[in-house]
Amino acid sequence: MEQFLDTMEEKVRGGVRRIDRPLLAAVSLAALAGMLLAHGFAFANLFPNHDSTVVVFDAQWTMYVLGRWAQNLYFPLIRGKIAAPWLIGIFSTVYIAFSGYCIAALLRLRRSAAALLTGLLACCATVTAMLATYNLWTDAHLMGMVLACAGVFCLEKARPVPGFCAAAVLFCGCLAFYQAYIQFALGLFLLILVRQALEDTSWRAWLLHGVRALAALAAGAVLYLISVKVSLALTGYQLADTGNGLAQLTRLGPAAILAGIPATYKNFFQTLLGYSGWNDRGMRVASAFMLLLALWGLWVRLRGRKDRTVLQTLIAVVLLPLGLNVVYLLASGNVYILMQHAVFLIYALPLLLLSGEDLPRPPRALWRWGTALLCVFLMVRMIICANGAYVYTKLVYDQTARQMTAVMAEVQQLPGYEEGTTPVAFVGDFTDSLFAYENPAFSRYEEGDLHQVNSAVTYDGTIKWWFQHVMGSTANVVADQAQLNAWAEDSRVEEMPVYPYDGYCAMIDGTAVVRIS
């Protein structure tokens, strides 16, 4: 036993010695700076809204039916069930730094390039959307990124058999946290194939490397499907057949996949170059220049090289947008920015191509500085967008809190009302009512691209969570959409004025009805 422990200790010491400490320090500082500058406001404030009205994790069944069973272990065992903003920020920063180190080590990026890429992944719109509207799940989703990057790292750096097994288990874990983050593994594998092609790798070695990567991903997917079946069998639930559920994958056929490939490429470039609330003109222009720099880097690095090198590189580069956005294909186009964090990994391509020694010597520094300045510009725009998003969300939360307090004060004055006993039905659409926060100065955030809403309370579930978690109220609110729809069709309710006009709340058949819209 003592000999075994000594052997394990020596292996651990050897692993620690192999860590590139200057690289780790660079990406850690970049992650810390990016996360604090872009998201520090979200780490220091609590503004529950929409799905983040779940201040205390109690959505176990939802995670099971969505195939994200690992989150039901993560919250009670690692992070805790309470959505504590600062704690979420600490875990998220560590996860970004770890992922950045894995990516940089695998792609052999210079420390400056690694820091820039890590900063971009920390500041991007996906993290902003999570912290603004889904903050409880932010670090759990980023754990999926960690496992995806760690899986690729194990496959590339460890011995063949143990590395393959570890990668399959880690990919399974990634899928069980948040399926969309498996795109990081796909993108990383393709970027590694680009690097290997530029290193003049033979066809046999290059293809075997790609096949081994696909086999590890397939093994991880099989393990994941088995784990989902086990989790559903133990709980008695069924997979959700919704827009973000796994059941829709069973309806995908070869024809649908082939037809969806062009749309996947189009959506990839549209996400980077098309207008959205978070992607202003400056960011779109900078992203376009980054892609042009990647093309220039390809031309410089491939000029005069063997046909094999050129073909291998172009194959991997052409497949890269598909790999980074494959969830769009699998979800039949039903994607949003939360599922597209890996799209921003495309910025690694120009950093990879322009970090080699094959560039013409006189302008080499110029092109590297140009790439760095574009990355810094993108980060600054991302930081500005993120801070505006959090201010908007805080204003929405404050307004909803004020109005809910005023409404409940009037409800409690209704004849026959008993707190905790009398049902309270909020009828109408909060986001299409005078409950909603309206300010033209925040129009970019009202467009919904970051999943932000103009009322902290939105659908039936958020009504329950708002009163239970945010207000700490014992009010017996109706949180079933079918019942609320039935009340909306009641002729007596239709005759009531809407909030905030006199008579917007009344007792009807023993229920306190509040007409919102």
Side-chain angles (χ1 to χ4, degrees):
M1 185 64 172
E2 184 176 351
Q3 184 178 2
F4 172 77
L5 292 175
D6 288 340
T7 303
M8 291 301 297
E9 181 182 0
E10 186 59 34
K11 288 183 177 180
V12 171
R13 287 178 181 273
V16 172
R17 284 194 295 268
R18 286 192 295 272
I19 294 175
D20 186 339
R21 294 184 182 181
L23 177 62
L24 180 60
V27 297
S28 298
L29 288 174
L32 181 61
M35 294 296 275
L36 285 179
L37 289 171
H39 315 299
F41 186 91
F43 299 157
N45 291 274
L46 182 65
F47 34 78
N49 71 100
H50 192 47
D51 279 3
S52 66
T53 48
V54 184
V55 178
V56 181
F57 179 73
D58 66 350
Q60 289 90 343
W61 73 272
T62 307
M63 296 301 104
Y64 283 123
V65 301
L66 292 177
R68 303 172 194 166
W69 56 265
Q71 293 191 28
N72 289 326
L73 301 176
Y74 175 80
F75 290 113
L77 298 179
I78 299 178
R79 211 285 310 285
K81 292 186 176 183
I82 297 174
W86 188 248
L87 194 59
I88 292 171
I90 293 172
F91 276 86
S92 299
T93 303
V94 171
Y95 296 160
I96 289 282
F98 182 88
S99 300
Y101 177 82
C102 289
I103 294 168
L106 290 167
L107 300 182
R108 301 175 190 170
L109 296 178
R110 300 158 61 95
R111 286 197 293 273
S112 57
L116 290 169
L117 181 61
T118 303
L120 288 167
L121 294 176
C123 298
C124 70
T126 300
V127 181
T128 300
M130 287 192 286
L131 287 167
T133 314
Y134 307 91
N135 70 323
L136 174 67
W137 292 276
T138 301
D139 54 318
H141 287 190
L142 291 176
M143 174 59 86
M145 179 170 67
V146 168
L147 296 175
C149 295
V152 180
F153 194 89
C154 286
L155 193 67
E156 296 291 326
K157 299 291 187 179
R159 288 180 296 168
V161 175
F164 184 91
C165 295
V169 172
L170 290 167
F171 292 150
C172 170
C174 167
L175 293 165
F177 270 94
Y178 193 55
Q179 297 91 343
Y181 274 96
I182 200 64
Q183 295 172 123
F184 267 92
L186 282 165
L188 259 178
F189 280 132
L190 288 167
L191 286 167
I192 290 169
L193 288 176
V194 171
R195 178 182 58 85
Q196 288 186 330
L198 294 173
E199 294 171 354
D200 201 23
T201 305
S202 68
W203 271 114
R204 184 175 184 277
W206 192 79
L207 290 173
L208 283 176
H209 201 96
V211 169
R212 187 163 180 262
L214 288 175
L217 288 165
V222 170
L223 287 177
Y224 170 66
L225 292 175
I226 294 172
S227 71
V228 169
K229 286 184 176 293
V230 170
S231 69
L232 294 175
L234 292 175
T235 58
Y237 296 129
Q238 292 183 336
L239 285 177
D241 192 4
T242 57
N244 59 348
L246 292 176
Q248 62 178 317
L249 294 178
T250 61
R251 294 188 289 272
L252 269 181
I257 291 175
L258 290 174
I261 289 176
T264 303
Y265 278 96
K266 179 181 177 181
N267 176 262
F268 176 85
F269 290 105
Q270 193 171 32
T271 300
L272 289 173
L273 305 176
Y275 174 79
S276 63
W278 59 267
N279 200 18
D280 60 26
R281 182 180 300 171
M283 289 183 64
R284 300 198 302 276
V285 171
S287 294
F289 274 115
M290 289 289 282
L291 294 177
L292 288 174
L293 280 173
L295 292 176
W296 185 88
L298 281 172
W299 182 78
V300 171
R301 298 291 295 272
L302 296 177
R303 185 177 51 181
R305 302 291 293 272
K306 297 177 181 177
D307 291 344
R308 179 189 64 208
T309 300
V310 174
L311 188 55
Q312 288 174 353
T313 304
L314 292 180
I315 289 173
V317 169
V318 168
L319 289 175
L320 188 57
L322 182 63
L324 293 175
N325 199 33
V326 71
V327 167
Y328 183 93
L329 177 64
L330 298 178
S332 302
N334 184 30
V335 298
Y336 36 92
I337 195 62
L338 288 178
M339 303 163 68
Q340 295 182 295
H341 198 170
V343 166
F344 298 97
L345 191 57
I346 191 65
Y347 296 131
L349 183 59
L351 292 170
L352 170 66
L353 294 171
L354 298 175
S355 64
E357 299 301 321
D358 299 336
L359 302 176
R361 186 167 295 278
R364 181 187 301 165
L366 174 64
W367 290 112
R368 286 177 180 167
W369 274 102
T371 307
L373 289 174
L374 284 173
C375 290
V376 171
F377 177 81
L378 282 166
M379 280 187 277
V380 170
R381 300 307 302 172
M382 291 173 179
I383 289 167
I384 293 171
C385 174
N387 281 275
Y390 301 135
V391 170
Y392 173 71
T393 304
K394 183 69 164 59
L395 291 171
V396 169
Y397 164 75
D398 288 342
Q399 171 153 310
T400 302
R402 286 192 300 269
Q403 293 184 112
M404 275 295 191
T405 302
V407 167
M408 288 309 298
E410 290 201 33
V411 168
Q412 290 168 355
Q413 301 302 315
L414 293 174
Y417 176 80
E418 294 184 19
E419 181 73 14
T421 302
T422 304
V424 182
F426 288 86
V427 180
D429 184 356
F430 283 93
T431 60
D432 188 25
S433 70
L434 294 177
F435 245 82
Y437 178 83
E438 301 292 344
N439 187 338
F442 293 92
S443 59
R444 68 182 296 189
Y445 302 109
E446 293 176 354
E447 294 175 11
D449 298 306
L450 289 173
H451 273 223
Q452 292 182 280
V453 285
N454 54 12
S455 171
V457 179
T458 50
Y459 59 91
D460 53 351
T462 62
I463 299 173
K464 177 187 73 173
W465 297 324
W466 178 273
F467 280 89
Q468 179 182 345
H469 296 319
V470 181
M471 295 187 70
S473 170
T474 59
N476 181 22
V477 292
V478 177
D480 179 77
Q481 195 59 51
Q483 294 183 45
L484 295 175
N485 290 341
W487 277 112
E489 296 170 0
D490 190 299
S491 59
R492 293 167 294 180
V493 176
E494 291 176 341
E495 294 173 358
M496 293 171 58
V498 298
Y499 174 85
Y501 301 106
D502 289 340
Y504 72 87
C505 60
M507 291 291 292
I508 301 177
D509 296 339
T511 298
V513 179
V514 181
R515 191 179 183 199
I516 300 300
S517 66

